[in-house]
Amino acid sequence: MAAAGDGPWLDEAAGRLVRPFTVSNGRTRPSVALDLLSQVRTTGATPPGQLGPEHAQALDLCRSPVPVAEVAAHLKLPAVVTKVLLSDLVDCGALTTKPPEYQHNPTDRALLEAVLDGLRRQL
């Protein structure tokens, strides 16, 4: 029996009834470069054609700016599948994306050493 609001894609006992990559028609590469921290937001444009349930859920989640990682978490899909779905919506003009604003160089040695230090203290 499907959980309320989940439609035919989820079953309370069995979990996901459709493999995640089926949702993206087997595609594993998004057409738009998206970082996990990229912000996505709806544009107000109506996407042409029939959307799958995950596309519609993603649009609903993106009414205000939200990071790609958060959309993936809410959809309970792998990040790569979510990126493909979101890139479909960007391609048809339903979503806009903004790259993350890094305050630090992500390969900055001092930053990486500070992170490593913090991890060592946690162990």
Side-chain angles (χ1 to χ4, degrees), residues 1-3 10-17:
M1 177 171 192
L10 295 175
D11 182 272
E12 287 177 21
R16 181 170 283 281
L17 298 176

Side-chain angles (χ1 to χ4, degrees), residues 44-103:
T46 304
Q50 184 72 13
L51 290 178
E54 287 82 4
H55 285 95
Q57 286 176 319
L59 276 176
D60 189 47
L61 291 168
C62 298
R63 286 190 220 162
S64 60
V66 60
V68 171
E70 191 171 325
V71 175
H74 284 288
L75 294 178
K76 297 179 181 161
L77 288 172
V80 68
V81 173
T82 302
K83 287 179 181 183
V84 170
L85 293 176
L86 293 175
S87 71
D88 291 345
L89 294 169
V90 169
D91 289 343
C92 73
L95 283 183
T96 186
T97 180
K98 180 180 173 190
E101 295 177 14
Y102 291 108
Q103 293 180 349

Side-chain angles (χ1 to χ4, degrees), residues 104-119:
H104 300 285
N105 178 354
T107 58
D108 179 8
R109 183 178 178 95
L111 175 63
L112 294 174
E113 286 176 355
V115 169
L116 183 59
D117 240 12
L119 291 172

